[in-house]
Amino acid sequence: MVQFVHPSRDEITLAGVLAALADPMRLRIVKSLVAQNDCMSCTEAAPCPDMAKSTLSNHFRILREAGLIRTSKQGVQHRNVVREDDINARFPRLLNMILSFPE
């Protein structure tokens, strides 16, 4: 069974969050997850339908390791949700401010 690495709330760093969101594709993934306000599979949250699965997996790994998303396995799908409460507890209003800017 796949075990995902999720840092604790206290292990989430500003540098890690900013580095993860610096990539336009990862920023789009987080924006789509926040807009959905529910769990989404990796494919549903993909910013481009023709993105290679290995590239998509890497983007989700970086977001997960930065503490931005939580991934769980449901059947054959990996379901993702933004850890808004944890991010806002560590860095109040940071995520909302970043996501409010146009691409």
Side-chain angles (χ1 to χ4, degrees), residues 13-57:
T13 66
L14 181 60
V17 168
L18 294 177
L21 293 176
D23 182 275
M25 291 298 130
R26 289 193 289 271
L27 182 58
R28 287 175 63 189
I29 289 169
V30 171
K31 281 185 175 186
S32 67
L33 287 168
V34 168
Q36 181 69 21
N37 199 24
D38 195 12
C39 287
M40 293 176 76
S41 71
C42 296
T43 306
E44 291 169 336
C48 303
D50 58 343
M51 182 178 283
K53 285 187 178 185
S54 60
T55 302
L56 189 58
S57 292

Side-chain angles (χ1 to χ4, degrees), residues 1-6 64 71-78:
M1 183 152 143
V2 176
Q3 294 292 326
F4 296 109
V5 175
H6 298 102
R64 195 170 37 253
T71 304
S72 60
K73 188 162 176 75
Q74 294 180 358
V76 296
Q77 290 186 339
H78 294 163

Side-chain angles (χ1 to χ4, degrees), residues 12-34 58-69 81-84 87-88 91 93-103:
I12 299 172
T13 66
L14 181 60
V17 168
L18 294 177
L21 293 176
D23 182 275
M25 291 298 130
R26 289 193 289 271
L27 182 58
R28 287 175 63 189
I29 289 169
V30 171
K31 281 185 175 186
S32 67
L33 287 168
V34 168
N58 186 54
H59 284 312
F60 277 94
R61 179 188 58 78
I62 292 168
L63 290 170
R64 195 170 37 253
E65 290 176 355
L68 283 159
I69 64 171
V81 65
V82 176
R83 295 174 61 182
E84 287 185 75
I87 299 299
N88 287 330
F91 314 107
R93 299 182 306 276
L94 176 71
L95 189 59
N96 290 339
M97 185 172 57
I98 291 171
L99 298 179
S100 70
F101 287 99
E103 289 185 38

